Amino acid sequence: MPDRYPLMSRALGGAAASAVILLATAACSPVVSIENADVPQWRATALPSDGQAVLEDSGKILNRDRIIQTAASVPAGGYTLTITCDGGGKAFFAVTLAGKEVAEAGAACNGSRETAEITVPKAGRMEISASSVDAPLLYAYHLVPAR
């Protein structure tokens, strides 16, 4: 059966082909990589610094190695650990006091913030380590006295 609207068919076919090319080009467009991300700029919106933080850090996890930050002496009491990450996958945070595990927390790396309430039974040296099997990703956290 002959096509009654050959010009219309060609126009629609051309538009469909253009849409496919446009979508393919967009899918191949370079995305800013984690390796080239500006951590301070990302952190400014993802998890701004808190003036009362007793321990905080942000950065890039580029492999499966733990990144450890230490505070020489954290007073006993209640604290809130707020964490976030971006880049896909999940990040894990381990909190130790004088070498003993106090808490573990994790965050899905989709830009959301997660919190964990932590009780520090006695003053001491605290370490917080950040790690992920889903590297590379961006992470940030801060530990503040509970309010």
Side-chain angles (χ1 to χ4, degrees):
M1 176 170 178
D3 192 357
R4 295 169 78 183
Y5 304 102
L7 187 55
M8 181 73 93
S9 295
R10 272 189 264 152
L12 289 174
S18 295
V20 167
I21 291 169
L22 182 63
L23 288 172
T25 303
C28 295
S29 296
V31 175
V32 175
S33 69
I34 297 297
E35 291 86 355
N36 297 322
D38 182 338
V39 174
Q41 182 180 21
W42 170 78
R43 181 181 178 146
T45 57
L47 186 64
S49 292
D50 185 304
Q52 296 195 356
V54 295
L55 193 54
E56 62 185 337
D57 193 23
S58 62
K60 301 172 189 178
I61 297 177
L62 299 175
N63 53 39
R64 294 181 177 197
D65 295 339
R66 290 181 174 273
I67 298 172
I68 301 170
Q69 189 69 268
T70 303
S73 182
V74 173
Y79 293 87
T80 302
L81 176 65
T82 304
I83 56 180
T84 189
C85 58
D86 220 342
K90 193 166 184 175
F92 302 96
F93 300 85
V95 181
T96 60
L97 180 69
K100 294 183 181 179
E101 187 172 301
V102 175
E104 284 187 342
C109 296
N110 57 12
S112 63
R113 292 182 191 172
E114 303 291 334
T115 60
E117 299 303 318
I118 297 173
T119 300
V120 175
K122 61 180 181 174
R125 181 174 193 247
M126 180 176 282
E127 291 184 350
I128 298 180
S129 67
S131 64
S132 178
V133 296
D134 300 311
L137 55 87
L138 300 172
Y139 74 93
Y141 66 82
H142 60 233
L143 183 71
V144 298
R147 297 179 179 142

